[in-house]
Amino acid sequence: MNKPLVKLALPWQDCLAHEEGLKKLLERAKKHDALAHAVKRVLHSQGYESISQALLVEWRPDRPSELVLVVPSATIGTRLQQMAPSIAKKLGQYHWVIHEVRVKVRPNHSSVNPNRRNEETPEFTQAAQSAWEGLYQKLPLQSSLRQSIESLLKNRKTKR
């Protein structure tokens, strides 16, 4: 028997044991959904819309002051871990009392667009183009980095 799974199921089972159990279950689901929207609003307000799209919010009613953010990569996880105190503080402005924000990396959950390769690559600004060209000129001819930058410059468009 999977003990952690049973432990997670107990609060939900308690809801269903009572006559008005489904009402409690629905209230918990609504509360979780409201918290998830609040977290996404906080990330949008701080300019991290792309992170909010790749994020799952886990919240347990038996630990109401703890929030777990599940992300698909360690890079996003590290950034969110750095932002955790400000996320908790901003959630306080939305009347959520969160004392601990934890981050879990779970690569397989990704809600990010799987067809990302089909999207157009962003264009370089003129400043970015000249910076890459300057670095390209400084590198030795045999450098693998120089070859990579050459490929990058060939495949990117420049904004005009």
Side-chain angles (χ1 to χ4, degrees), residues 18-120:
H18 302 291
E19 188 173 311
E20 293 187 10
L22 290 178
K23 182 178 177 184
K24 279 184 159 182
L25 191 63
L26 185 59
E27 287 172 2
R28 285 184 181 181
K30 285 181 180 179
K31 195 169 184 179
H32 182 272
D33 189 50
L35 177 60
H37 284 293
V39 169
K40 291 184 182 206
R41 271 188 301 209
V42 166
L43 291 173
H44 277 273
S45 72
Q46 294 182 350
Y48 292 101
E49 295 86 9
S50 60
I51 290 178
S52 71
Q53 294 172 359
L55 178 76
L56 288 178
V57 177
E58 288 184 0
W59 176 79
R60 294 175 36 188
D62 59 329
R63 294 183 184 170
S65 65
E66 179 182 287
L67 177 66
V68 179
L69 304 176
V70 182
V71 294
S73 74
T75 306
I76 295 171
T78 302
R79 183 66 190 136
L80 279 178
Q81 193 64 46
Q82 293 170 347
M83 295 170 51
S86 64
I87 291 172
K89 185 178 179 182
K90 287 270 189 185
L91 286 173
Q93 294 174 355
Y94 293 113
H95 307 290
W96 289 97
V97 180
I98 303 294
H99 297 294
E100 182 181 2
V101 177
R102 295 185 310 132
V103 178
K104 284 185 184 177
V105 176
R106 193 177 303 151
N108 294 339
H109 96 275
S110 180
S111 60
V112 179
N113 185 5
N115 297 326
R116 190 171 181 188
R117 291 183 183 179
N118 296 339
E119 295 176 5
E120 283 190 35

Side-chain angles (χ1 to χ4, degrees), residues 104-142:
K104 284 185 184 177
V105 176
R106 193 177 303 151
N108 294 339
H109 96 275
S110 180
S111 60
V112 179
N113 185 5
N115 297 326
R116 190 171 181 188
R117 291 183 183 179
N118 296 339
E119 295 176 5
E120 283 190 35
T121 56
E123 297 176 347
F124 278 150
T125 62
Q126 199 63 33
Q129 181 76 22
S130 62
W132 280 112
E133 288 172 353
L135 178 60
Y136 174 78
Q137 296 299 327
K138 292 178 185 176
L139 294 170
L141 293 174
Q142 300 83 9

